[in-house]
Amino acid sequence: MFRTALRNVLAHKARLLMTVLAVMLGVAFVSGTLVFTDTFGSAYKNKSAKSFDHVSVAIRQDGGGSDDGSQDGKQPPRLTDRLLAKAEGLPGAASAIGTYSGFTALADKDGKLVGGDWGTTGANYYPGKGGKDPRYDFTEGAAPKSAGQIALDSSTADRTGYRVGDTVRYSTDGPVRTAKVSGVFDTDDGSVVAGGSLVVFDNRTAREVLNKTEYDEIDVKAAAGTSEAALEGAVEKILPKDTEAETGSSLKAEQDRMIEQNTSSMSQVLLIFAGIALFVGIFIIANTFTMLVAQRTKELALMRAVGASRRQVTRSVLIEAFLVGLIAAVAGFALGIGVAVGLESLMNAGGATLPDGPLVIAPATVATALVIGVVVTMLAAWLPGRRAAKIPPVAAMNSVHAAPTARGLLVRNTIGSLVVALGVVMLFMKDNYVKAGGSGVILVGVIVLTPLLARPFIAAAGPLLKPFGVTGKLSRLNSLRNPRRTASTASALMIGLTLVTAMTVVATSMGSAINKMAADSMRADYIVSMANYQSLTPKVRTQLDKLPEVAASTPLRTTSGEADGSYTRITGVDAASFDKLISLDYTSGSAAALKAGGVLVDKPLADKKNLKAGDTVPVEFDDDRTARLKVGGVYEPNEMVDGLFAPTSVVDPHLNKVSDQQLLLKMKGGASDAAEDRIVKALGDNPAIKIQDKDALSDEIGGAINMMLNMLYGLLAMAILVAVLGVINTLAMSVFERKHEIGMLRAIGLDRAKIKQMVRLESVVISLFGAVLGVGLGLFLGWVAGDSIAGTVKTYTMEIPAGRILLFLAVAAVVGVLAAVWPARSAARLNPLQAIKSD
């Protein structure tokens, strides 16, 4: 039986080619993802590990410290120069350095922010023993020594074109500063390894511009002969309250875990789409083996007649599947290595600078590729193999290409209907996870029901095929000849388009909801904030209020606390200007109460605590101080506006440092290019400050949605490519099994052009059937997902992106035409006399 299986594989090389390609693409995606994430993770770990070479023990605030160096007001700074001197003087300590770090917006030569909203970091140069900081290796110039100097990492210098002696503009908390580049350095800092930028100041300047009251961390290096554990024990004896000591090894292990988590998350997302591509491939494999078995009915029946058992026949088909899967897995793994290299190049081209490192091919990746390729192929071939085993010997005397029995289709349709019904029931459950599961169940049910759905759809396409005459009629009849095959081929395309359509509907609707939310809530013309959304100095408002074009402004000073025991966000605003800048839908009271020291609460909090305008609510702020505040109004919240609003005079005393999260501006002439230009100039072309009107705010959020959607389109393109191979495969094998029929058509006068047209129309009909099913099901699933979102996003309403959906259908038609090129050419080249003689 093994020799028979091997002979069949070699005899049907061309027919199995598309199956090999389908499995190969799925395996390539899986193995490429695993190789890429292993390579990226290993390179990142190796590169980042060097940044711990100077750290034997690190002293940090308990819990890892703060990002902005702010204090809670309850205790004085702990990581001070005094502690640093103590650490450096410990027995077994070779050196100690204190580190500062914080957001620093660097402007390039065109005045644009370098590194995006989050990518530019500022740090200190701490000259330890010998006058050098081991974190930085200078390749040009020297370390900064005064407030008028900075140093740049070499990647940023290359990117911006800055050289030693150039003057640069930067900002950390609002005001624009200038400095000269004193030097360029190489570093293993994690932010630079990840593709960011690093600006280095002298120690004193870093403390000032990054607004630090203490070091973020003190790193102690052990002397020769002193272990990390011994040094850690010595350090623990000098630790102030609420600080901790960690060894360099544990910090490295912690970073390795974080890198592994990040790469694992990326890997999981990519593997989901690889799984979809493989799932689509299952339909192609099952289709191929079903047709191969049908074409070999006589052969298999004769094998049964001469003594082969059912088990041996099934085993023969599975051995074929094993050989095909093995070939596809090996080829897919080789292609996967190329995919990994391509992913790295693609990410580098997109601006994500990945660390250099050797390609990592783990044994587990090789094993995974081989197992997936073989198992997926054998599972898909099992049902055709089981059908082959049931062929009785007497079938050798009957027609080779038996159509599916009515009983088999009835059983399938019944199962499919029950599965769809179960999915619909799940959609009415309240739990969103159950609803999501119901969507998946419905998708499976529709796949099972596609043979039933094929007949009415193709019948409905009859009038569109009528103008093509006899070839249109023949293509319609050929599509209906084997509903299972047509359904299986169309299902592969349907799955990809279902996901694409559903995500497009949700993304489009969400973008519109955000636009409506911004339009309904914001009366302000501009929102001013730091580029990294950190605190904005109140000096910015003072500066902008001097502009004659500014009609009103309010800061948003955010803290948090408990209102009558319920945790809530508390925002300080300008009581006189608030209602000119933010529009709220009040259920009781109004914004006028803010001027009298009252507060505004959102409706969920008011309902929970049974509050209404005029009531008094006890509020405990984060600094543990309390106040009894009068409720001036209750409003309906949304995703942009919620929590408790109070006058700045109420909130400011509870802030350790008065700073604005955002600044809202109303201009006398409304938003315009001229008004925005005045704001930019008033702030000194500050790279750290972001100025957005309502459209820009919506575009920013919508841009993130569109970027994610485009990435998903790219990933799902693999599944659609596999589906195209399925259409080609089905048509090619259908042409092969209909050689006798095609020969007869040629003999009675149908020319080659008409034969090609017949195959092309059949391909287009199958592709459009899959596309219409996919789009219809995608719209339904998009509605289901939107129904869940609408419960939390009040402005969400389902929008159907008609233009994109028409584009999807047009692409499906083009896919049908292209997929038919090779099968149509093969059909047209058949010799009529030889085809008529074929069995």
Side-chain angles (χ1 to χ4, degrees), residues 29-107:
F29 206 169
V30 171
S31 56
T33 296
L34 295 175
V35 170
F36 171 72
T37 51
D38 285 347
T39 299
F40 171 68
S42 174
Y44 207 130
K45 286 177 184 177
N46 292 338
K47 188 80 171 173
S48 298
K50 295 178 182 177
S51 63
F52 293 104
D53 288 348
H54 66 283
V55 184
S56 300
V57 176
I59 304 173
R60 305 193 295 180
Q61 294 180 23
D62 195 8
S66 64
D67 291 333
D68 58 2
S70 60
Q71 302 297 312
D72 57 15
K74 298 179 184 177
Q75 56 187 343
R78 292 147 288 182
L79 304 186
T80 61
D81 286 318
R82 184 178 178 185
L83 179 62
L84 178 61
K86 281 185 180 180
E88 193 170 19
L90 286 172
S95 62
I97 61 173
T99 66
Y100 297 121
S101 181
F103 174 73
T104 300
L106 176 71

Side-chain angles (χ1 to χ4, degrees), residues 292-528:
L292 285 175
V293 167
Q295 291 167 13
R296 288 162 45 204
T297 301
K298 279 189 175 181
E299 176 189 329
L300 295 172
L302 287 171
M303 287 173 63
R304 291 290 313 282
V306 297
S309 66
R310 287 187 174 186
R311 183 174 296 177
Q312 285 178 309
V313 171
T314 302
R315 192 183 303 156
S316 172
V317 175
L318 290 178
I319 289 171
E320 286 183 52
F322 172 81
L323 294 173
V324 170
L326 186 62
I327 294 168
V330 172
F333 177 73
L335 181 61
I337 295 173
V339 169
V341 175
L343 279 172
E344 183 176 1
S345 300
L346 187 64
M347 292 189 73
N348 282 330
T353 306
L354 302 181
D356 294 328
L359 207 63
V360 177
I361 303 175
T365 301
V366 180
T368 300
L370 294 177
V371 168
I372 286 176
V374 171
V375 169
V376 166
T377 309
M378 292 184 71
L379 283 175
W382 175 78
L383 191 58
R386 188 167 172 270
R387 287 200 196 107
K390 290 183 177 180
I391 298 174
V394 73
M397 301 166 59
N398 298 331
S399 174
V400 175
H401 310 303
T405 63
R407 181 177 176 277
L409 288 173
L410 178 63
V411 171
R412 177 171 179 155
N413 294 339
T414 302
I415 293 172
S417 300
L418 291 173
V419 171
V420 170
L422 173 63
V424 171
V425 170
M426 292 172 71
L427 293 182
F428 286 96
M429 301 296 178
K430 291 184 178 179
D431 190 279
N432 286 335
Y433 291 105
V434 176
K435 284 185 177 181
S439 301
V441 170
I442 289 175
L443 177 60
V444 172
V446 171
I447 291 170
V448 176
L449 284 175
T450 41
L452 176 65
L453 300 171
R455 191 169 295 277
F457 174 85
I458 295 172
L464 298 176
L465 297 172
K466 198 169 184 179
F468 296 98
V470 67
T471 55
K473 184 176 182 180
L474 287 172
S475 65
R476 180 174 61 83
L477 294 174
N478 288 333
S479 301
L480 289 172
R481 178 178 297 185
N482 193 325
R484 275 189 184 144
R485 181 188 304 165
T486 298
S488 183
T489 306
S491 293
L493 190 59
M494 178 194 76
I495 294 167
L497 283 177
T498 295
L499 297 173
V500 166
T501 303
M503 289 186 296
T504 302
V505 167
V506 171
T508 303
S509 303
M510 195 65 196
S512 297
I514 291 165
N515 290 337
K516 190 173 187 301
M517 201 183 300
D520 291 349
S521 302
M522 304 299 295
R523 287 176 176 163
D525 294 315
Y526 291 102
I527 301 169
V528 181

Side-chain angles (χ1 to χ4, degrees), residues 23 436 559 602:
V23 180
T559 183
D602 61 41

